[in-house]
Amino acid sequence: MKVAIVGGGLGGLTAALLLRQAGVEAVVYEQAAELREVGAGIGVSPNMVRPLVRAGLGERLASFAVPMDAAWELRRWEDGRVLASQTMGEECRRLYGSDFYVAHRADLLDMLVKALPEDVIRTDRRLEVLRQDPDGVELTFGTATGAKATVVADAVIGADGIHSAVRPAVVDEEPPRFSGLCAYRCLIDAERAPELSVRRVQTLWLGPGRHFVHYPIRDRKLINVVAIVPAGEWRVESWTADGRLEDLRGEFETWDPRLRGLIDAATATKRWALYDRSPLERWTSGRVTLLGDAAHSMLPFLGQGAAQAVEDAVVLAICLREATRETAAKALARYERIRRPRASQVQLMSRGREVLNHLPDGPAQLERDATLAASSPLRQSAWLYGHDPETAVTD
């Protein structure tokens, strides 16, 4: 059986690796001329780490990812007072069988590329036409030279992100939901950054109307920054759109001087409007199905976008492992039945987190801070981090 994966991001490459390890012939078709990850830092939670370790990538992951041995930390906006701190390291390993890492998305992508044979990834392939019949799927790709490339597959996986070209073949498109927020993202040289930001700690600053996250990546040589603020007139939904540092500084000009010092150390920023989609009514149509953001794009507040794509890939590989050309559609339907409820739950639970994070100072904010101080976020995340997609297939 031949599987065509449209999209060479983290989800598509993980699916290709796990499918090939399951004995399924899978090829990735990526529209870019070269594989490169335009994002920056990413949290690699235990439910994402365990499948990568099972796939033989544990040692490679540990060679570049930074384990959060120290803590998650929540701080007050105006003075940096610690509102809550969660020890990680041994406690995380005991509860969930792995570390919680942070890493550069490009390093994760490179790890997956190196784990695959060179001929598995075909770049400069932009999907133009997808046709399926009971016997297979025909895909026509355009290239930079204007030439066309036609591929026939027994099953197609749309792993091509939030603006998926495969999704219209599965379900009618609906407009995205605008959150009213936008995100600034920076990568800052650690040598220029305040000492507070270089520690192996993922820090979340909470304040009226906005919040700010930072943590070190690449052996603590870079500091990843994400700032969530009201979008104003900004509506550009693109990780590659440039923002203005003066606008970012203006959003936090009254905050703790150490946080302002971190922003001052930045030399550039990206800015994108935050949209998500409501859960789709279906992921699969015959021999075509969706995976990752193409199936369940979500807001970033639970840090689960990539982890859910990896969970998808695990279940997909198991379902297709025993399938034949004749039973491919049934295997994809089974994959959807297992994954769609779980991913839709995470998708919906990612909404509304900013309301709690952005409370104005006052009674509700004081109540929130007291609740945070008495809570254990690591244990409360068991529904996320403790999920095993292999067990879900058995169940």
Side-chain angles (χ1 to χ4, degrees):
M1 186 169 63
K2 296 181 179 180
V3 175
I5 299 172
V6 181
L10 295 178
L13 294 185
T14 302
L17 177 63
L18 298 184
L19 283 168
R20 293 182 72 87
Q21 289 181 346
V24 178
E25 183 179 338
V27 177
V28 176
Y29 299 91
E30 164 59 37
Q31 67 177 358
E34 59 178 348
L35 278 181
R36 59 187 182 89
E37 179 57 68
V38 297
I42 180 175
V44 189
S45 55
N47 57 313
M48 182 175 173
V49 174
R50 292 190 303 271
L52 295 176
V53 170
R54 289 171 185 164
L57 300 177
E59 186 174 338
R60 173 66 177 154
L61 176 66
S63 72
F64 63 81
V66 179
M68 289 289 97
D69 285 341
W72 280 328
E73 195 173 72
L74 283 73
R75 289 179 176 264
R76 178 166 165 76
W77 66 278
E78 63 180 349
D79 56 10
R81 175 165 54 87
V82 175
L83 302 175
S85 181
Q86 169 71 68
T87 302
M88 300 288 281
E90 183 179 345
E91 178 71 358
C92 188
R93 292 188 290 272
R94 185 181 67 80
L95 288 173
Y96 305 121
S98 78
D99 280 298
F100 187 113
Y101 290 100
V102 290
H104 197 299
R105 295 181 73 97
D107 295 335
L108 286 168
L109 193 77
D110 183 63
M111 174 185 72
L112 293 166
V113 169
K114 290 178 177 176
L116 288 164
E118 289 185 8
D119 63 348
V120 169
I121 303 170
R122 315 284 170 84
T123 55
D124 188 22
R125 297 290 189 273
R126 180 184 295 275
L127 181 65
E128 294 183 349
V129 180
L130 185 155
R131 298 188 183 93
Q132 70 165 313
D133 59 36
D135 297 321
V137 188
E138 182 181 272
L139 305 98
T140 302
F141 297 96
T143 67
T145 64
K148 305 296 182 184
T150 299
V151 173
V152 176
D154 301 303
V156 172
I157 314 304
D160 50 343
I162 195 168
H163 301 294
S164 172
V166 176
R167 189 167 56 233
V170 175
V171 66
D172 292 337
E173 288 284 89
E174 294 186 3
R177 187 189 72 99
F178 180 48
S179 68
L181 302 169
C182 71
Y184 287 92
R185 185 182 291 272
C186 312
L187 284 176
I188 300 172
D189 188 333
E191 292 185 355
R192 296 166 47 88
E195 184 178 352
L196 178 72
S197 63
V198 183
R199 302 168 304 143
R200 284 195 300 184
V201 174
Q202 186 171 11
T203 302
L204 168 62
W205 299 70
L206 304 179
R210 50 196 38 78
H211 70 265
F212 193 101
V213 180
H214 59 79
Y215 51 82
I217 58 174
R218 285 193 171 166
D219 198 26
R220 295 194 288 172
K221 292 182 174 62
L222 292 174
I223 308 302
N224 185 71
V225 162
V226 182
I228 308 297
V229 304
E233 300 300 316
W234 190 268
R235 294 295 184 274
V236 181
E237 186 187 21
S238 170
W239 279 26
T240 61
D242 291 325
R244 302 195 314 164
L245 284 172
E246 54 265 40
D247 294 335
L248 174 57
R249 293 189 190 100
E251 295 286 352
F252 297 94
E253 60 184 356
T254 61
W255 287 44
D256 185 286
R258 292 168 293 182
L259 184 143
R260 301 202 312 270
L262 180 58
I263 297 174
D264 289 340
T267 57
T269 185
K270 302 294 182 183
R271 184 183 184 186
W272 81 98
L274 296 181
Y275 293 79
D276 73 347
R277 272 71 175 166
S278 295
L280 299 179
E281 63 184 37
R282 64 178 177 273
W283 292 6
T284 305
S285 175
R287 294 174 176 270
V288 180
T289 195
L290 304 174
L291 178 148
D293 282 351
H296 46 71
S297 61
M298 58 188 68
L299 294 173
F301 304 134
L302 290 178
Q304 281 290 300
Q308 291 306 300
V310 170
E311 288 187 12
D312 290 347
V314 172
V315 175
L316 181 68
I318 295 173
C319 290
L320 286 177
R321 183 171 56 200
E322 303 298 332
T324 65
R325 292 177 177 178
E326 292 74 22
T327 63
K330 290 183 178 180
L332 297 184
R334 181 185 180 213
Y335 152 74
E336 178 186 336
R337 284 198 304 273
I338 295 167
R339 282 298 302 156
R340 190 159 62 91
R342 157 79 171 172
S344 297
Q345 180 191 18
V346 178
Q347 195 176 9
L348 292 172
M349 291 291 285
S350 296
R351 292 179 173 178
R353 306 279 292 189
E354 74 280 3
V355 175
L356 194 64
N357 288 349
H358 296 180
L359 289 174
D361 285 351
Q365 164 260 322
L366 292 172
E367 182 180 355
R368 176 203 66 192
D369 293 353
T371 300
L372 290 173
S375 67
S376 173
L378 192 59
R379 289 180 177 274
Q380 291 168 354
S381 298
W383 70 282
L384 285 175
Y385 303 158
H387 182 78
D388 187 335
E390 291 189 13
T391 303
V393 176
T394 305
D395 293 344

